[in-house]
Amino acid sequence: MPPPSFSDFQTVWCVQAVAALRVAERIEAGTTRIEALAEGVDERALHSVLGHLVGEGIFEEPSPGEFALNDAARELLLGIGGRFTLAWSTMETYVRTGRPGYAHVFGRGFWADLDAHPEIAAEFDDLIGPGGHPTPDPDFELADGWDDVRTVVDVGGGTGTMLRELLRARPGLRGTLVDLPGTISRAEGDFERVAQSFFDPLPAGADLYLLRSVLNDWPDMETEALLANVAHAAAPAGRVVIIGGVAPDEASPAFQIEMLLLGGRTDALSTFRDRAERAGLTVVGTSHQADGKFVVECRPRDVVAGAINVQDV
């Protein structure tokens, strides 16, 4: 792959500048003339930046000095896209500290920001669901098969995209979706809905608990608290399946935007085994889905010690 050109960086930093100045929001609110948009900044400099972006297909200039939004500007600079765009400016904070700098830009952490802006939260739910990702693959292996699995709890499952596919693929299953109230209100599917934080006590006694694209959203302390909570709900004999947030030991570390937004982590499997043990779980199997996603299966530690031969699938 060829390296990016200097002009690529030029566009990126022009986008960053207008994002920081909230130019798109001001245009959307009716301020469209460069003289007004440049209040508090250098007019000629801002005009040149916007002119460059117009040439790149971001913004329109219907008449000299008059600017308008187009689809590209809306996607990059408003709503959840704008949050992501401006969040990249916090990269240095993340690299220096290992912690997200999102609150320094938006005044509150990412989840609190979504809670304060339901319309952006709805965009985010769509982005991580059917609007921004292909239909999830419900096919993954279990160490001792699916025959005894009758009930599944999708913990932090968003609007239920994965749970719907699981129930469609295995019609005998009964499903429960756990997520925050705003997200649950947008869920669609034939399953029970539990509107709560997954750090609160979870529905207990299900055969399978699924954590898909959840652990990678949280730092160490929260990850272990969540695992302990799931272990408690899964006892005495439930299965816990993790997809996302754990990688094979031989995999190279990969940067994901969740790290920047939330301080999330992806553990190597050996690290995760120790983390799981502290939470009361033991890894009993690993596999890969057809698209390459790494799957880790755990069982409550006491059950494993007495009944299961621990080995990779």
Side-chain angles (χ1 to χ4, degrees):
M1 179 182 295
S5 68
F6 287 117
S7 62
D8 293 330
F9 291 115
Q10 179 180 353
T11 299
V12 167
W13 284 105
C14 285
V15 169
Q16 286 287 332
V18 299
L21 294 169
R22 304 294 202 270
V23 170
E25 288 93 331
R26 297 180 66 199
I27 292 174
E28 185 179 46
T31 301
T32 60
R33 290 294 309 171
I34 188 62
E35 297 86 357
L37 289 170
E39 182 180 355
V41 300
D42 186 271
E43 180 181 327
R44 184 168 57 180
L46 180 60
H47 201 162
S48 64
V49 167
L50 287 172
H52 172 77
L53 293 176
V54 168
E56 294 296 315
I58 306 167
F59 293 106
E60 295 177 358
E61 192 173 6
S63 61
E66 184 85 19
F67 290 92
L69 299 176
N70 56 13
D71 289 344
R74 289 188 179 90
E75 183 176 348
L76 277 172
L77 294 161
L78 297 176
I80 193 63
R83 292 302 201 269
F84 285 4
T85 296
L86 199 50
W88 289 112
S89 68
T90 69
M91 177 65 80
E92 182 179 353
T93 296
Y94 171 72
V95 172
R96 287 183 180 278
T97 68
R99 295 187 295 274
Y102 190 95
H104 300 321
V105 176
F106 296 102
R108 51 175 70 90
F110 182 73
W111 297 123
D113 190 35
L114 293 190
D115 190 49
H117 297 91
E119 71 287 354
I120 296 178
E123 290 181 38
F124 177 72
D125 286 340
D126 184 60
L127 180 66
I128 64 173
H133 290 81
T135 301
D137 182 2
D139 186 21
F140 51 86
E141 300 177 57
L142 296 177
D144 53 0
W146 283 83
D147 290 348
D148 295 331
V149 179
R150 299 287 183 270
T151 54
V152 56
V153 177
D154 192 351
V155 180
T159 57
T161 307
M162 178 61 160
L163 186 55
R164 286 195 299 273
E165 295 304 312
L166 266 178
L167 300 184
R168 184 178 294 120
R170 301 179 183 279
L173 287 180
R174 290 186 291 109
T176 299
L177 178 68
V178 178
D179 215 306
L180 294 173
T183 299
I184 285 286
S185 70
R186 293 184 283 273
E188 297 180 1
D190 186 16
F191 44 73
E192 182 182 357
R193 295 155 172 78
V194 177
Q196 64 166 73
S197 166
F198 48 52
F199 293 109
D200 293 334
L202 295 165
D207 299 318
L208 175 65
Y209 291 80
L210 177 63
L211 292 166
R212 179 180 178 272
S213 299
V214 172
L215 293 190
N216 48 294
D217 286 346
W218 297 95
D220 292 338
M221 184 171 67
E222 288 86 348
T223 293
E224 295 197 14
L226 175 55
L227 287 172
N229 199 23
V230 175
H232 181 76
R239 303 153 179 85
V240 178
V241 169
I242 293 106
I243 305 175
V246 187
D249 285 335
E250 65 273 15
S252 297
F255 180 80
Q256 298 172 311
I257 194 170
E258 294 92 339
M259 299 175 180
L260 187 67
L261 298 173
L262 302 158
R265 298 282 189 272
T266 293
D267 285 335
L269 179 61
S270 56
T271 300
F272 179 76
R273 287 184 188 275
D274 294 338
R275 192 188 298 282
E277 287 289 336
R278 289 193 295 272
L281 296 169
T282 294
V283 174
V284 299
T286 66
S287 60
H288 285 85
Q289 292 186 283
D291 62 1
K293 287 186 173 63
F294 189 56
V295 181
V296 179
E297 180 187 351
C298 302
R299 297 292 293 267
R301 189 171 52 220
D302 292 344
V303 172
V304 172
I308 294 178
N309 178 27
V310 179
Q311 59 183 358
D312 282 355
V313 173

